Amino acid sequence: MDAFGAGSEPLENEPVAEIRAGLARILASDAFRAAPQLSAFLAFIVERAIAGRGGELKGYTIAVEAFGRSPDFDPQSDPIVRVEAGRLRRALAQYYAGEGTADPLRITIPVGAYVPAFERVERMAAEVEGPARSVLDPSFPPSGPRHPMPAGERPLERRLAKRWPLAAGLSLGLALLSLAAWYGGLLGARTDNRVASMREAGAAMASTGQEMPLASPGKPVAEPLETTVLVISVPDLPDAELAAASRRFTNFLVDALSRFDDLLTVKVPAPGQPLPPEADYVLEMSAHSVAGSTEGFGRLKAVPDGRIIWSASSTRVLTANDEDLPENARRLATRLAEPFGIIHADIRQNRPAGPMRCIYEAIDVRRTMAAQDHLAARSCLLDLVRRDPTFYPAWIQLAQLTVFEQSFGFNPLPDPPLERALTAALTAVRLAPSSARAQQALMTTLFKRGAIDEGLAAGRIAMARNPYDPDIMAMLGARYIQLNRPAEGLPMLEKAIALSAGRPASYDFYALLGAHLLGARQVSRGHGEFLGGGNHPFSLLGRAIRAVQTGDTDERARALSELCEQFPAFHSEPRTWLLRRGFGVEVTDRLLAELGVGRH
């Protein structure tokens, strides 16, 4: 074949349309649907090539921009691009030998380079007398004898140009479905041999022995999944000053609540209007003047059964320009909507039907740190993304739970967990580019993959998008403390602790550790008082650190013994155990020395 790589000039529209249509067919194939990293690699180099930027396709550029490696990536010491390029060449060869055998266009990656070549293949000898030509060849389409074209039929390249938007849409839909397949073995040619054994007795991700039917990816999801719907009921107040204060309070409240977009959908009907039929909760507010002061009341009510979930009242002098109004509104929003807040507690206790039960079960794994809870939550999330691949809150939580596979060994699946976690986090970011929680998931995943600077950058973006979320504060603060930067991390954790009454033990553990690293032992002990008992790994590690501070060798031995019992890897390889959980080398070595634990 006469193959050409892309040059330094962008291609014309019609060849571009044909190339992209060919790319869409490849990405929709069985092999590439099951290999998201290869799909991303191929799409990246093809788009650069057709944009006339083939000269930029070097190992460093691909590693940093396509694979998310840090700017200090060294292609000489890390062969990831060469390895993935070899996999990509083999996958393309297999595709064209199977599903793509009749494709009119072939995309290849010449050995020794990363710039793709594009070749047009004429399958019908009677249609074209002559060799295949590259779509980049100036003489394309090839001249030569052809069968007469039926009247009104466009040339192939024009028909492909018209079909490209549809093909691209189908490819995106199939790609999202393939991500669900990658996590839980939902799709594939056959599922007879894909039974993943789990640690829990009787639990297995078994298959039916038949190919699972798929919804058409070109059509909207039949029943898109929704987050919890919270309605703000604003009173119609006759007093002009109170009405102005109410509007101002409501504006700040709605602004803060809407930033928890992965957990809540906020609606504010006009005064006097009925509640939307999809409402899950309603926040009712009222106020009236009494003897020069304002009495304000608020209550959160579950719409289906009318239960009062929370209520509060206050009496104070109130004006529309009250400087405390913004902060009070934001604090109320945080109490209601944060991941371990009032609405979460109600859903956890009453377990209503709907997708958010799965989301909060996944969040609760961080409180229980139990393998069986991890397994149940992951299975529930996989069902959600199977039903609606665009439901980004499920992808966010899948990223978090998949990191737990790597960090704590919970219910591991065959594929590399950090690769799956990154795919889930990036899917969430692409589906919801403005979501703070999606950036939080990306931060966690990048950090665990060793992309420290990029992970911290994602965390700062998450904080900027939702500065009222204590979970984002706590997780970003914890990353700084793991890196031996406690002066930056401890204030975030202390603020998160003040805002979250239902927080997991990790908040208090990292605050204890941050204060310990700073030498503020009294502060550290204060945070340690809230760790409590139980077999949560952070509680056990925190107890051991407190015992070192107080000189209680028996308590230190008990805490470490329980930690080794719960996590045998800590007993055999304590240094590796800490490093796999994101602790930096300095903090890891200091902890092991102070705890009197061998490095191994």
Side-chain angles (χ1 to χ4, degrees):
M1 291 185 183
D2 189 10
F4 289 79
S8 59
E9 296 295 328
L11 304 185
E12 299 295 328
N13 289 339
E14 290 185 2
V16 166
E18 186 171 1
I19 290 168
R20 283 178 168 157
L23 174 64
R25 287 190 296 272
I26 295 170
L27 298 183
S29 68
D30 287 343
F32 279 82
R33 283 186 309 181
Q37 181 153 307
L38 288 186
S39 296
F41 186 4
L42 179 62
F44 177 80
I45 61 176
V46 167
E47 289 298 329
R48 284 293 174 97
I50 62 181
R53 301 170 63 184
E56 300 175 10
L57 293 175
K58 308 296 184 184
Y60 176 84
T61 304
I62 294 169
V64 173
E65 297 188 27
F67 296 161
R69 294 303 173 96
S70 61
D72 60 358
F73 173 80
D74 180 6
Q76 299 303 316
S77 60
D78 188 339
I80 182 172
V81 179
R82 296 193 299 275
V83 171
E84 291 300 298
R87 288 183 60 210
L88 181 55
R89 292 185 187 101
R90 290 191 295 274
L92 285 170
Q94 292 170 1
Y95 167 74
Y96 288 120
E99 289 182 69
T101 187
D103 277 14
L105 177 101
R106 290 198 173 190
I107 301 174
T108 58
I109 317 296
V111 176
Y114 303 120
V115 181
F118 310 102
E119 304 160 318
R120 192 176 192 279
V121 179
E122 293 293 347
R123 290 291 174 187
M124 299 295 291
E127 180 180 339
V128 176
E129 300 291 341
R133 293 294 188 93
S134 166
V135 296
L136 304 183
D137 191 325
S139 65
F140 175 82
S143 58
R146 294 178 180 269
H147 281 302
M149 185 174 292
E153 184 173 345
R154 295 182 180 88
L156 172 63
E157 59 271 19
R158 292 186 182 275
R159 285 184 278 131
L160 286 172
K162 293 290 185 181
R163 279 190 234 156
W164 158 242
L166 174 61
L170 289 171
S171 175
L172 176 60
L174 286 167
L176 287 172
L177 286 169
S178 73
L179 292 175
W182 194 28
Y183 274 83
L186 301 179
L187 312 178
R190 284 266 171 199
T191 57
D192 303 71
N193 299 318
R194 269 203 320 256
V195 178
S197 59
M198 297 296 178
R199 295 181 179 178
E200 312 309 317
M205 301 184 73
S207 56
T208 62
Q210 297 181 359
E211 186 170 347
M212 184 166 289
L214 301 179
S216 171
K219 298 178 180 179
V221 177
E223 294 184 13
L225 301 177
E226 300 290 345
T227 57
T228 299
V229 176
L230 172 64
V231 176
I232 310 297
S233 179
V234 181
D236 188 6
L237 300 172
D239 184 287
E241 185 72 16
L242 281 182
S246 174
R247 286 193 299 272
R248 184 165 177 249
F249 182 87
T250 301
N251 287 339
F252 282 108
L253 178 66
V254 170
D255 171 70
L257 285 170
S258 63
R259 296 170 188 259
F260 295 88
D261 56 279
D262 62 309
L263 303 176
L264 287 180
T265 299
V266 183
K267 298 191 175 185
V268 188
Q273 293 297 309
L275 292 177
E278 65 274 17
D280 297 301
Y281 295 93
V282 57
L283 178 62
E284 299 174 333
M285 297 184 292
S286 63
H288 56 274
S289 297
V290 176
S293 296
T294 299
E295 289 183 347
F297 298 87
R299 64 180 184 179
L300 180 69
K301 184 169 70 175
V303 173
D305 57 10
R307 287 177 298 109
I308 304 300
I309 310 301
W310 166 89
S311 65
S313 63
S314 67
T315 302
R316 55 176 295 180
V317 176
L318 182 66
T319 66
N321 295 321
D322 192 313
E323 62 182 14
D324 293 332
L325 272 182
E327 183 61 22
N328 290 339
R330 291 162 179 158
R331 282 186 173 273
L332 175 57
T334 298
R335 289 189 66 189
L336 295 175
E338 62 114 341
F340 300 97
I342 292 170
I343 290 176
H344 175 185
D346 183 67
I347 291 176
R348 184 175 69 248
Q349 292 169 10
N350 294 281
R351 298 179 60 81
M356 295 310 294
R357 179 178 60 82
C358 296
I359 300 301
Y360 285 115
E361 283 180 359
I363 292 172
D364 258 341
V365 171
R366 292 169 50 202
R367 293 161 52 97
T368 66
M369 294 299 290
Q372 64 270 23
D373 295 336
H374 176 274
L375 178 63
R378 186 178 67 190
S379 298
C380 200
L381 292 173
L382 288 171
D383 182 61
L384 292 185
V385 298
R386 179 173 179 259
R387 290 160 53 193
D388 182 359
T390 67
F391 188 56
Y392 71 92
W395 288 113
I396 290 171
Q397 296 306 323
L398 270 175
Q400 305 278 25
L401 291 189
T402 306
V403 167
F404 276 26
E405 289 182 43
Q406 186 267 351
S407 296
F408 296 99
F410 289 165
N411 309 301
L413 292 175
D415 294 300
L418 293 185
E419 186 174 337
R420 285 184 285 115
L422 181 61
T423 301
L426 290 175
T427 300
V429 169
R430 289 163 183 157
L431 289 170
S434 63
S435 172
R437 189 86 56 218
Q439 291 291 332
Q440 179 186 358
L442 185 61
M443 169 189 70
T444 302
T445 305
L446 289 173
F447 191 85
K448 288 299 175 72
R449 289 172 63 92
I452 303 301
D453 292 339
E454 293 84 350
L456 294 177
R460 288 190 289 268
I461 292 172
M463 278 280 290
R465 291 181 180 174
N466 190 355
Y468 318 121
D469 189 335
D471 198 48
I472 295 175
M473 297 175 203
M475 292 189 75
L476 180 58
R479 302 293 83 79
Y480 280 118
I481 287 170
Q482 287 183 317
L483 295 171
N484 203 23
R485 294 162 64 176
E488 297 168 84
L490 184 57
M492 295 182 189
L493 280 151
E494 291 182 326
K495 185 175 181 180
I497 288 169
L499 291 172
S500 181
R503 62 190 179 270
S506 58
Y507 287 26
D508 296 285
F509 166 76
Y510 282 111
L512 176 153
L513 178 58
H516 179 72
L517 294 174
L518 287 171
R521 292 203 167 189
Q522 194 62 37
V523 175
S524 181
R525 290 174 189 171
H527 289 299
E529 295 293 337
F530 291 92
L531 283 174
N535 58 7
H536 194 293
F538 292 120
S539 295
L540 296 172
L541 196 55
R543 280 173 50 197
I545 294 172
R546 287 182 62 209
V548 169
Q549 295 171 345
T550 59
D552 189 339
T553 56
D554 291 338
E555 169 63 6
R556 177 186 65 82
R558 281 192 298 269
L560 290 176
S561 176
E562 290 179 42
L563 185 60
C564 291
E565 182 180 350
Q566 292 293 326
F567 297 94
F570 181 80
H571 176 70
S572 59
E573 297 182 273
R575 192 169 191 270
T576 300
W577 191 90
L578 289 171
L579 291 172
R580 285 175 67 87
R581 282 143 191 81
F583 291 89
V585 173
E586 291 179 65
V587 174
T588 295
D589 290 344
R590 176 173 169 177
L591 281 178
L592 294 178
E594 291 178 341
L595 294 172
V597 176
R599 292 162 58 98
H600 295 292

